[in-house]
Structures are given as structure tokens and as C-alpha cells.
Amino acid sequence: MALLEDSIGVEDLVLLEPLAQESLLKNLQLRYENKEIYTYIGNVVISVNPYQQLPIYGPEFIAKYQDYTFYELKPHIYALANLAYQSLKNQDQDQCILITGESGAGKTEASKQVMSYVAAVCGKGEQVNSVKEQLLQSNPVLEAFGNAKTIRNINSSRFGKYMDIEFDFKGDPLGGVITNYLLEKSRVVKQLKGERNFHIFYQLLVGADAQLLKALKLKRDTSGYAYLNQEVSKVDGMDDASNFRAVQSAMTVIGFSEEEIQQVLEVIALVLKLGNVELADESQANGTPASGIYDGQGVREIGEIAGLSSQELERALCSRTMETNKEKVVTALNIIQAQYARDALAKNIYSRLFNWIVNRINESIKVGTGEKKKVMGVLDIYGFEILENNSFEQFVINYCNEKLQQVFIEMTLKEEQEEYNREGIPWTKVDYFDNDIICNLIEHNQRGILALLDEECLRPGVVSDSTFLAKLNQLFSKHDYYESKVTQNAQHQYDHTMGLSCFRICHYAGKVTYSVASFIDKNNDLLFRDLSQTMWRARHPILHSLFPEGNPKQASLKRPLTAGSQFKSSVAVLMKNLYSKNPNYIRCIKPNEHQQQGQFSSKLVEVQVRYLGLLENVRVRRAGYAYRQGYRPFLERYRLLGRSTWPSWNGEDREGVEKVMGELSLAPEELAFGKTKIFIRSPKTLLYLEEKRRLRLQQLATLIQKVYRGWRCRMHYRQMRRSQILISSWFRGNVQKKHYGRIKASTLLIQAFVRGWKVRKDYRKYFRSGAALTLSGFIYKRMAQKFLLGLKKSLPSTNVLDKEWPPAPYKCFNTANQELQQLFYRWKCKKFRDQLSPKQVEVLREKLCASELFKGKKASYPQSVPIPFCGDYIGLQGNPKLQKLKGREEGPILVAETVKKVNRGNGKTSSRIFLLTKRHVILTDAKKSQAKTVVGLDSVAGVSVTSLKDGLFSLHLSETSSSGSKGDFLLVSGHVIELLTKMYRAVLDATQRQLPITVTENFSVRFKEGSVTVKVVLGPGGGEDGKLSCKKKGSGRLEVTVQ
């Protein structure tokens, strides 16, 4: 039982002690601050708006409350919805859920939660789901057209709504009927500071696409419309664009066609444009005031939407036709009257459109007349209102709340009396405030305020709000619940808060002062016949259907019903409907004026508690027995308090309850035993039972803990003992297994040794002393044979450049393998040489000599390796003159090449033909082919050459020779490697001595006049081209730059 166990505060105010306004408020505040927003008064749910999303809704909580009865879980709106639905389904009893509270208290959200719960717990199926979806989707449509942002609430319902949801015998929804009450149509033309018009206007302008706005002749800027409050166009936390799309989708789900949706939006656009129609002050020819349209553009656009001519519309707005039985009189309206007519038309169009939408929804969700059905009604209606300036709207709203309070008291008492009679408990009459006298004050057919208001509206002659107030003062001067300035003066009372044009009624929730200003106009709710007839002539389908009284064939001179009469009739039908059903109540409370979460204003809540009559409700519930419960759950909860019923009871439930109560020695007047329930008069008695149960639970908990601890220790000891025995046995077995394993291994070792010794002893005579050497020699020979045969099969190619050789299979053959590799290579080389001709041998010898002389020393050597030595580079065979220069005994010319001789004086070069024979070096003039210098090879002392890629070399001559008197030669050759190699070999053959060849960048050249030091340097190009430039540096230096 969740009501008293681990609860925050008191979950059911019937059990509140002491019962007073202050303790009730503190209990609500305590629960609200701990996010417990629901509290019970019996089966009435009090809901305090948290202004935030709490994690207490959804499928998980729906399933939870579906499986429990009303009092078994924490207070919740789901519990009330489940109680109503189960009563309807199982007991075949029609239900109604009344949701009341002031604006911003959360009534709309509460109705949504009730609807979502019922939709979730009823049956499934394609048709059922379609009906549920239509019922749920009616909410966003009605909110868009009937809700608005007010000072107190951003989504305030500005109409009352009663929805009958109809179910079949299985509890599945079949459809429903929606009834709306008193739409606040004055909001269409005027809003208070900080408030907005109805949501649909802003949703249309913000959410419609450009094409739709163009078709409706609208602009997106909300500041361009007189009927929309310019101060508040957007609301924090509300997305008008997405809400507009949701409304369109919902209308489609309900069954609106695309044409109907478009036509509805056209009517909304027409209302917006009516507010922008500017009227001008004019005069007739006789001086009578008249009015006209200031700018005809707006009227033409309205006419295009409505299917009317602008002349018709202007005539209807600016003139009025008075009809009698004999004649018609057309009178012009002054500007004030024309503005009133324009605003009245806008209000009537919107109000009638709202009624048309409700009727259209009803057509989609209605149920066939032949089906038997059960009904659950949900009433979401405005709560009691006391504003700074209370007018006709507050008067009828408070009248409706008086009737609902009357229903609540009567139905609560009736329910209590019926339960007492069912259980056989004597019923004691309960004293309570009966507000029937206040209801009669307002609704009496002849002497009620509404009747007098209608009478004043219909009376000929001068009629005004002041004449209506005078009639009230005259008729109710001695009424206990009516006050005015006149009645106070008659009783010599002074009240500065009471105005001369006001009257006050003492409602059940407190005194409310009403201003009679505009009572007559608002009750008449007049719309000139010209406007009705003009709208009826419109070609727009919906607009035409909204004004059936405009049909001339159905024209009637009878005055239409007043707003007060219509509302009184609607309330009467509502009351009749509620009396025919079992009521369930949700009282919604607004905790603060700023819509802030966590704030609790005690003064504001106190006023609402008084408006809702919560304290009166608690007193009615506690007038007899404050608490009652069935015998079985009561016995299950409290049987532990009796010795005879604990720990088990096998008798009847009532007998067990009587024994428990008898052992506790409670006062007899505190208890009553019904047929199925026990009744407890005072909350103190129930709290005493709960305290005794708490102490008994502590005793039982201690006993259970003692028994459990003893059992746990015994079980622990037994488990440890079993574990110790198991470990010991395993350990001893493991030790013996290891010992046996060691003995077995030792035995096998001894046996093997003995067997081996015996075998060796028996067969020792068959072994020879040299067997090991013979065997090893045989094995080695076989290994060598295998190695050599394998080498035969894997010999490499005979190419002298192929250096590959198979590795030795065993390390012992590594030395032999290397020797065989060298022998094989030498054999390949010999075989290669045997194949060469003498000329090829000579060429290779020259290349070998060049390698020995210049490899790694001269940079141009690598380039000369692949190029064969030619010897003749000047075409010697075609030049007989040059051939004659050598003697016949000289043999062939080894080298014939054009070289450049460096001048000794200035470093300039001149071309010479260089001829090398077996005994001489001959330098010849390139042009005359005459020998200029002939040097014997025995006179050549040495050669100096650079390490770079250039062709510069110096030919040093011995001083004692005849040619040496002229000095050394400094020459430049393009084939210096070949030239010097052949000269080296020629000198060796001729003189049997090696020619000294020095590789250096600094060398001395001896000339006739003296010695010159030659220095060779690299130029900017790095010497890659090999080109030379010589420059004399003084008398003894010559610098050669290699480019």
C-alpha cells in the first residue's frame, strides 16, 4: 500500500491531520518540491503543473498502472484513467472525467495524458488504431484554432471542450463526439498586452510556403496585420512552422480533404484581411454621418477570396437595412458603427468556422446509430476566474463552475451514500454548503440574472448596461449573495473597491466583482442582417455554409437567441450528460504565475484551492468514515499485528480482520464492518495501525536477520569443512602420485641400464677394434663422393664474368670448395684466352695496361673502358704525306691524333698532329703536314697528367737529349688514356724501362727560357665537359681551368 509507506507527505488528503488550509498547502508544497505532482482526495486527483517534462509517463508507466488497482501505487493520472476505463469495460458503466483549473494549470496536458492512456490500453487492430489516431489527432487541430498565448499560459485553451469517446462491448474505441463551449471570439479582434491571437494565425504566416501565401494573398510579416498583437509575435518554446505542418497532417488523418484544408485557410486569411480594412469618416448630402472604405485594395482581395464583389462587401460594411412588415429602410453607418460591424463580422466568421471544424471532426469520428456502445466523457473546461476587470465572459465561466461544483458535491455525496448502503453501514446526513441558491440567482428562468439580462436586451426603448444594473439592484437588494454600491449604501456599508457600474456575487469559491460594461452588447452578440446575407451570397463553399440565416427564403424577423441563453442551454445539456455518468475528477493547480519549474507560490495556490473547493471536498469525504478497504487486502497488510493471524490464517477474511482489531483493543465507534470492507472513522486510527505495523516489521526484520545470520554462519562452517576435507584428500593423493612417479622412473632407468649392460656383455666378442675407423672412413668417402657428384651437376656457366659457385654442403669441405672454385675460374679464363686472336689479345693487354695506370686515378678512365682503342683518329691511310714522315724501319704508326699544343708565352693553343711510332714521337703542323719536332722515345723522361676529366698532359724530355734543349711539351688530347697507354708500352718495348706517369694538378714544365708551374683548377661547371682555358699568371705560372 503506497499511501502511507515510504511516501512524501500525505498522498491522500483524506488522511491529513490536522485538516486545515495551512496543512493542506504545506503538504502540496512538500510533494511538489519533491516532484510528486499528483495527490489524491479519495478518488479525486489533484495535479500541480510542474512546468517541465517528468519521467513518469510513457509505455512503461502505462503497463505498470494497468496491472494495479487505484490505491496500490503512487497517485497518478494514469491510475484515475485506468479506474474509469476498467469500470466502463468491466462494469458496463458510462464514465466521465472532469478536468478543471484556471488557465496555465495544465488541463490540456492532463486531457492528453488521459487520452494517450486510454488509447494505449484498449485493443489493437487496423480499424481500432485508425479510430484512436483520429481521436488523438483532433487535439492539435483544436489547439491551433482554439488556443492562444495569454499572460498566464503560452498554450491556453480559450474554449471549453467535452469529448465523448464511445467504445464497443470489448472496450475498443468506435469513435466520439466533441462539444465546444463559449469560444473567446473577442480575442480575434483585440488582445491584452503581452497576449497573442489564436495560434492558427501565426502558424499560417510562419509555416506556409511562399506559393500558399501568394494564393491566400498574404505576406509573411505578422506586423502587417491589425488583428495580430505586434508586441508578441513569437513564443519561446513554440515552433509555429512545425506546428502548422502538424496541424495539416492531423487534419488529413482526421479526414479533411485537400480542398477543405485550403478553404479553411482561405477563411483564416479573410479574417486577417478584414482587420486591415480601413474605414473613413464621411458625410451624406443631408449632413448625416456616414462611413466609407479608405483603400479599396483590401476589400477587393477579400471579395476575391470570398467570391463576392467589392461593392457588395463595402455596402454591407458601411450601411444597414432595417426591415418591418411594411417597408425596408437603408441607413448609413457612422465610422464607429462600421468598425463595430467589421469586427463583429470577423468574430462571427471565426467563431462559426471553429464550430464548423468541430462538426467536421465529429462527422469523421462519429459512430453508427445501430451499434451498442459505452461512453467515456472527458471535460476540459475553464476554471473559476477572478480578474482585475471581470466582464460577461467571467460571469458565464463562473456560472459554469458553480454548476460543476454542484454536480461534484451531489455526486460525491451520492457515491458515498451508495457505498454505505451497499456495505450495510448506517448513513449519517452530512452538513455542507449547498450552492443551489447561487445557481438559482444566476439561472432562474424568471428571476435569474441571465433571464433579466435577456429581458433587458429584448425590451423596447432605451436600453443600456446601467438600466440592467438598476434592475438587478431593485430585484436582489435583499439577496444574501448579491452586492452592489446601491445595496451597500442602503445597509450603510462603505467599500471603496465596489464601482458604481459593478455588482458582486458571493460564489462558493469567493466574492467576485463584475463590471456591467458591455454586458448588453456581448449578450446580444449582434451581426447585422446585411452582413449575414452578403456572406450567404459568397461563392466560397465554407463561408456560404456558415451563414444559413442569410438565405432570403429562410429569412426571419424573429430575434436570435442571446449568448447567455445559448450558454445556459449548453450547460444544462452538459449537466444532464454528467449526471448520467459516473464522474471522475482531476483538479489542476498552477503553482506560480511565471511558469517556472520548482517555484511554489502559497498565496496563488491558496486562492486556487479555495476556487476548486478542495477543503470542502476533503470534509465531505471525511464526514463519515475517512478510510475504507476490502477485507482481503486489509488482512494481508495488518495480519502480522495479531497473534492468531500471524504467520498464517486459514479462516474467512472478515473473521481474521475482526480478530486483529479485537487484539488491538480499538474503540468500537472508530470501526465499522461492512459486507466486503472495513471502515475506519479517524485518520489517527489508521496512522496508529501504520505505526504498530512499522514497529512489528522492525521486530520481524530483527528476527529474520538473527535467523538468517545463524543459518549463514552454519552454512559457511559446513562449506569450509567440506572444502578442507576435499583439499586434504586431493593433496595427499597428489603427493602419493608424485612419489609413485619418481619410483617408476627410477625403476625404468635401472632396468634399461641393466638390459644394456647385459647386451653389451653378450655381444662384445663380435666387435673389432678398427671398426670405428673403417666406418668413419667409409662415411667420409661417401660424403666426398656425394659432394663431388653434386658439384658436377651444379657447375656454373663458362662465362668468365659469372662469379657464382655452389656452397659446400658440409663445413669440412669449405677449403676444398674454395680451391675448386679458383681452379674452375682459372680454367674458364684459360679457355677464354685460347679462343682469342692475337689482335684481340693485344687489345686486352692494352686495356689491362690502361687499368693499371689510370684506374682510380684519372676521372676520365671509366668512360674509356668500353671504348676500344682505335689508334688512327685522323684518317692516316688517306694521307700519304703523313705516312712518309715516319721511316720505313719504324713499322706501323701506333697513334695518329690531332692534339693542341699550349703556347709557352701566352697560354694559347695551336693544333698539331701527334704521331707515335715504335721509336719516336712526331709533332707535325696540321696544315703543312711537315714534321716540326721529332722526339726519340729514349728522350722521354716522363709524363704528367691531371686526375680530372680533361685531356691535358705534359711530355717531359731529358735535358741531355738533342730534342730536350727546346724544353718540355704541354699538350691537350681528346684520347689521353689511349695515347699515354700506348706510349707507355712503346717506351717499355723500345728502352726496356717503365715510363713514369705522374697524376697531379700541380706540375712544373721546363721550357727553353726557364720553368713554368702549371696549376689545374676546376671551373664553375665542375669539370664535367673537360674543356680547358689557359691563363698566364706572371712569368713563372700558368693556370689551367677545367670547365
Side-chain angles (χ1 to χ4, degrees), residues 543-609:
L543 199 60
H544 173 80
S545 65
L546 297 182
F547 295 88
E549 75 275 13
N551 188 352
K553 297 180 180 179
Q554 299 178 2
S556 173
L557 298 179
K558 184 178 179 181
R559 190 181 183 92
L561 290 176
T562 61
S565 299
Q566 294 178 28
F567 188 74
K568 178 181 174 182
S569 302
S570 300
V571 170
V573 173
L574 176 62
M575 295 302 112
K576 183 179 179 181
N577 203 343
L578 296 180
Y579 276 119
S580 66
K581 296 178 176 63
N582 180 53
N584 302 273
Y585 298 94
I586 301 174
R587 304 298 206 186
C588 297
I589 292 178
K590 180 169 66 173
N592 61 78
E593 289 284 7
H594 309 291
Q595 303 174 22
Q596 295 292 323
Q597 62 186 38
Q599 292 186 8
F600 190 92
S601 173
S602 298
K603 291 184 178 180
L604 178 64
V605 175
E606 181 181 2
V607 172
Q608 295 174 78
V609 166

Side-chain angles (χ1 to χ4, degrees), residues 116-335:
S116 63
Y117 180 87
V118 174
V121 300
C122 61
K124 310 295 180 184
E126 184 177 352
Q127 183 177 359
V128 173
N129 290 337
S130 175
V131 173
K132 289 193 293 187
E133 189 66 18
Q134 286 182 335
L135 292 173
L136 292 174
Q137 291 299 325
S138 65
N139 280 324
V141 176
L142 294 179
E143 283 185 20
F145 288 88
N147 289 23
K149 191 268 181 190
T150 64
I151 298 175
R152 298 182 174 184
N153 185 9
I154 65 172
N155 189 30
S156 175
S157 298
R158 308 317 299 162
F159 69 104
K161 180 181 72 174
Y162 177 75
M163 174 184 284
D164 267 336
I165 308 172
E166 300 175 346
F167 300 83
D168 62 10
F169 69 96
K170 302 189 300 297
D172 295 338
L174 297 172
V177 178
I178 300 174
T179 306
N180 62 298
Y181 300 95
L182 198 65
L183 177 71
E184 188 189 14
K185 58 185 178 181
S186 59
R187 179 172 295 273
V188 175
V189 299
K190 185 178 181 181
Q191 305 92 43
L192 298 177
K193 185 177 181 180
E195 296 190 351
R196 289 205 318 177
N197 211 324
F198 292 101
H199 292 325
I200 187 62
F201 293 112
Y202 305 92
Q203 292 174 1
L204 174 61
L205 294 177
V206 176
D209 55 34
Q211 184 178 359
L212 178 58
L213 289 178
K214 183 178 180 181
L216 299 177
K217 306 182 187 306
L218 296 175
K219 296 181 180 179
R220 199 174 297 279
D221 186 11
T222 57
S223 62
Y225 300 95
Y227 280 166
L228 301 184
N229 194 337
Q230 310 305 320
E231 298 176 354
V232 186
S233 61
K234 295 181 179 179
V235 179
D236 293 338
M238 184 175 290
D239 188 349
D240 290 323
S242 63
N243 289 343
F244 179 70
R245 292 189 292 271
V247 169
Q248 288 180 305
S249 174
M251 294 177 77
T252 303
V253 171
I254 292 171
F256 284 77
S257 65
E258 292 294 332
E259 292 76 11
E260 288 176 325
I261 296 174
Q262 180 70 19
Q263 291 167 9
V264 168
L265 297 180
E266 288 172 353
V267 176
I268 296 297
L270 187 147
V271 173
L272 279 175
K273 289 194 160 296
L274 266 177
N276 288 354
V277 173
E278 296 185 29
L279 298 166
D281 193 3
E282 298 179 357
S283 298
Q284 292 182 316
N286 58 2
T288 306
S291 60
I293 302 300
Y294 182 78
D295 182 7
Q297 177 65 27
V299 175
R300 282 194 297 273
E301 291 181 351
I302 294 173
E304 291 175 6
I305 295 174
L308 290 168
S309 66
S310 58
Q311 293 79 10
E312 285 182 286
L313 195 55
E314 182 176 358
R315 186 167 54 253
L317 288 172
C318 299
S319 63
R320 180 182 180 185
T321 302
M322 306 291 291
E323 294 188 24
T324 63
N325 292 332
K326 297 181 180 180
E327 61 179 347
K328 292 183 180 180
V329 178
V330 178
T331 59
L333 300 178
N334 60 36
I335 188 170

Side-chain angles (χ1 to χ4, degrees), residues 708-769:
Y708 172 72
R709 290 192 186 105
W711 170 83
R712 190 175 63 176
C713 289
R714 286 192 296 273
M715 293 301 295
H716 182 63
Y717 167 75
R718 290 175 182 174
Q719 186 177 9
M720 289 182 64
R721 186 171 182 273
R722 287 194 300 268
S723 301
Q724 190 273 334
I725 293 172
L726 179 63
I727 293 170
S728 299
S729 62
W730 183 88
F731 178 76
R732 287 193 294 270
N734 191 49
V735 170
Q736 292 301 320
K737 286 177 182 178
K738 288 183 178 180
H739 181 62
Y740 170 75
R742 288 195 297 269
I743 293 174
K744 182 178 180 181
S746 301
T747 303
L748 292 174
L749 181 61
I750 294 170
Q751 288 176 351
F753 180 78
V754 171
R755 289 190 190 100
W757 174 77
K758 289 175 68 177
V759 170
R760 287 192 298 275
K761 182 180 178 182
D762 293 340
Y763 291 94
R764 187 175 296 165
K765 56 186 177 182
Y766 297 107
F767 290 105
R768 291 180 293 182
S769 59

Side-chain angles (χ1 to χ4, degrees), residues 732-949:
R732 287 193 294 270
N734 191 49
V735 170
Q736 292 301 320
K737 286 177 182 178
K738 288 183 178 180
H739 181 62
Y740 170 75
R742 288 195 297 269
I743 293 174
K744 182 178 180 181
S746 301
T747 303
L748 292 174
L749 181 61
I750 294 170
Q751 288 176 351
F753 180 78
V754 171
R755 289 190 190 100
W757 174 77
K758 289 175 68 177
V759 170
R760 287 192 298 275
K761 182 180 178 182
D762 293 340
Y763 291 94
R764 187 175 296 165
K765 56 186 177 182
Y766 297 107
F767 290 105
R768 291 180 293 182
S769 59
L773 294 175
T774 304
L775 288 173
S776 62
F778 174 78
I779 292 172
Y780 183 77
K781 290 178 181 179
R782 290 295 299 164
M783 290 171 61
Q785 183 183 12
K786 184 178 179 181
F787 164 61
L788 294 174
L789 292 174
L791 185 60
K792 175 183 177 183
K793 296 178 181 178
S794 57
L795 283 175
S797 66
T798 57
N799 189 350
V800 293
L801 298 179
D802 187 0
K803 298 286 185 74
E804 292 185 0
W805 187 257
Y810 305 104
K811 290 184 179 180
C812 60
F813 296 134
N814 283 344
T815 304
N817 194 44
Q818 292 175 1
E819 291 294 334
L820 289 172
Q821 183 180 4
Q822 292 178 5
L823 288 173
F824 182 75
Y825 182 72
R826 290 173 185 171
W827 173 81
K828 284 197 300 183
C829 291
K830 182 179 182 303
K831 189 175 180 181
F832 176 74
R833 288 196 301 272
D834 292 344
Q835 295 175 353
L836 296 175
S837 64
K839 186 176 181 180
Q840 290 176 326
V841 171
E842 186 64 25
V843 169
L844 288 175
R845 284 177 178 171
E846 289 179 350
K847 286 290 184 181
L848 177 60
C849 183
S851 175
E852 293 173 351
L853 292 174
F854 300 109
K855 184 177 181 181
K857 300 176 182 179
K858 182 71 173 170
S860 60
Y861 169 73
Q863 298 175 359
S864 69
V865 172
I867 301 173
F869 291 163
C870 179
D872 183 8
Y873 292 99
I874 60 174
L876 190 62
Q877 298 298 328
N879 196 339
K881 290 182 180 183
L882 293 177
Q883 292 182 6
K884 293 178 181 180
L885 292 177
K886 70 178 182 66
R888 292 183 180 180
E889 68 280 0
E890 292 287 335
I893 295 178
L894 301 178
V895 175
E897 180 189 7
T898 301
V899 299
K900 293 182 180 181
K901 177 176 175 292
V902 179
N903 190 285
R904 304 169 184 177
N906 53 18
K908 293 182 179 180
T909 61
S910 58
S911 297
R912 294 287 188 272
I913 295 175
F914 183 91
L915 301 176
L916 175 64
T917 66
K918 289 184 177 182
R919 294 186 180 277
H920 295 89
V921 173
I922 303 171
L923 291 175
T924 306
D925 190 348
K927 296 180 181 180
K928 299 178 180 180
S929 299
Q930 293 179 355
K932 282 203 170 188
T933 305
V934 178
V935 180
L937 292 180
D938 55 349
S939 301
V940 178
V943 176
S944 295
V945 67
T946 70
S947 63
L948 305 177
K949 289 185 178 181

